[in-house]
Amino acid sequence: MENTLQHCLSLIRFFSLSSKEFLQKIHPYKNLLKRKLYETLLNFHLDPDFDSTDNISLPRNPKIDGIIDSKIVNNLDIISTISRCIADVNSKISHVRKFHLPYNFQLLLRGSRDGFTPKKFHELCNDISHTVTFIKVKGTDEIIGGYNPLIWRRSSGSWDKTKDSFIFSFKNNDVKDAIISNIENIDYAIYCRYDHGSRFGDDIVMHASGGECAYYNDIRCKKVQYNKKIRDTEGNFSIDDYEVFQIVKR
């Protein structure tokens, strides 16, 4: 079998596999691999400080179909970046695993389809954990949003505590100038209220001052509870669209 496969093995992106995939799909057949290659693979998957990239083929580009259905995001680099933050993946050679895609993003709400009111947000998103919100800022190339590991709730106003939420911004549908801002004041990470949509601390606010059935007319972003400023300006702004997805393991 080793002789039969010798011309195929060099085409396999071993270093693009997750550690779980390596354990289940490669380790049982370790005798088919050259010893040096197998030891390098072990180091890669077991040692977080491993930084050798000799003779490592970069991953091929997967298709976005099936991972996310979005009118705002069409770049797997963005999805991969957010997935890494959710999974807390940090590697010196993360570019070797260019796309970290362990999740499917299941659409719960799209403003242009379902409406831009808090009422619709709570109908479609309440009691669902592990959600990501994308907001397209009107008249710019900016996408901002955040990750909420907790559930959204309809309440008269309450703060939820978590150390795992974060907010982000991207420009030009690219990760080149991405900003990831982690929660700093964990007691005020997520805010739930009947006349609000996705609200991450006081840093990203979607509010309808006319009540839950009114359109959002108070949308703003500034640095308060999260550790980095994700927009240059802190005033109110309008949006082209917004989407909320639930994160589900693939």
Side-chain angles (χ1 to χ4, degrees):
M1 184 180 290
E2 182 179 359
N3 291 334
T4 301
L5 296 176
Q6 62 178 325
H7 298 299
C8 302
L9 293 177
S10 62
L11 302 176
I12 298 174
R13 263 60 173 179
F14 290 108
F15 295 90
S16 297
L17 299 173
S18 68
S19 295
K20 183 176 181 180
E21 289 171 328
F22 170 73
L23 178 64
Q24 294 179 345
K25 299 179 181 180
I26 304 302
H27 174 68
Y29 305 101
K30 64 180 182 180
N31 290 336
L32 298 178
L33 304 178
K34 294 185 182 301
R35 183 174 178 176
K36 183 178 179 181
L37 171 61
Y38 185 75
E39 289 179 351
T40 303
L41 284 168
L42 273 181
N43 287 330
F44 175 77
H45 288 285
L46 297 178
D47 183 0
D49 295 323
F50 178 84
D51 61 2
S52 173
T53 58
D54 294 342
N55 301 318
I56 294 179
S57 298
L58 294 177
R60 300 178 179 89
N61 292 346
K63 293 182 179 179
I64 199 167
D65 298 343
I67 296 175
I68 186 171
D69 171 21
S70 175
K71 302 295 185 185
I72 297 175
V73 178
N74 56 24
N75 187 333
L76 277 181
D77 277 326
I78 291 178
I79 301 304
S80 178
T81 299
I82 291 171
S83 296
R84 286 181 186 280
C85 294
I86 294 172
D88 195 21
V89 172
N90 184 18
S91 171
K92 288 184 178 179
I93 53 172
S94 60
H95 66 282
V96 172
R97 290 175 179 162
K98 182 180 178 183
F99 295 112
H100 181 75
L101 303 169
Y103 310 110
N104 283 332
F105 287 59
Q106 296 185 352
L107 182 66
L108 301 176
L109 178 151
R110 175 175 294 138
S112 57
R113 181 191 70 181
D114 303 309
F116 294 87
T117 66
K119 185 173 188 292
K120 186 57 67 173
F121 169 79
H122 289 293
E123 285 178 1
L124 298 177
C125 302
N126 275 10
D127 301 317
I128 298 174
S129 64
H130 302 92
T131 58
V132 172
T133 299
F134 293 105
I135 301 168
K136 178 65 173 64
V137 180
K138 191 169 186 176
T140 74
D141 58 6
E142 291 180 86
I143 299 170
I144 67 170
Y147 168 66
N148 177 15
L150 309 176
I151 64 170
W152 295 107
R153 296 176 292 107
R154 186 185 184 281
S155 74
S156 58
S158 60
W159 291 100
D160 287 338
K161 176 180 178 179
T162 177
K163 63 180 177 57
D164 296 321
S165 64
F166 59 88
I167 58 176
F168 52 80
S169 68
F170 300 95
K171 293 183 179 179
N172 296 313
N173 226 305
D174 193 3
V175 298
K176 182 180 178 182
D177 299 314
I179 300 173
I180 305 296
S181 179
N182 295 306
I183 183 62
E184 204 165 42
N185 190 345
I186 64 173
D187 290 329
Y188 300 94
I190 303 296
Y191 185 76
C192 295
R193 183 178 157 98
Y194 68 93
D195 57 354
H196 283 69
S198 300
R199 176 166 172 175
F200 298 87
D202 291 310
D203 298 59
I204 296 180
V205 176
M206 297 184 68
H207 174 223
S209 60
E212 64 180 348
C213 295
Y215 285 180
Y216 297 113
N217 62 350
D218 177 20
I219 305 174
R220 59 188 187 273
C221 179
K222 63 179 179 179
K223 182 189 178 307
V224 185
Q225 277 90 16
Y226 289 75
N227 69 346
K228 292 180 183 177
K229 185 177 181 179
I230 64 170
R231 292 201 79 217
D232 294 333
T233 58
E234 295 188 346
N236 284 38
F237 59 90
S238 300
I239 63 175
D240 286 326
D241 209 347
Y242 86 110
E243 298 172 331
V244 181
F245 296 86
Q246 183 183 25
I247 307 305
V248 180
K249 273 279 192 181
R250 299 178 67 188

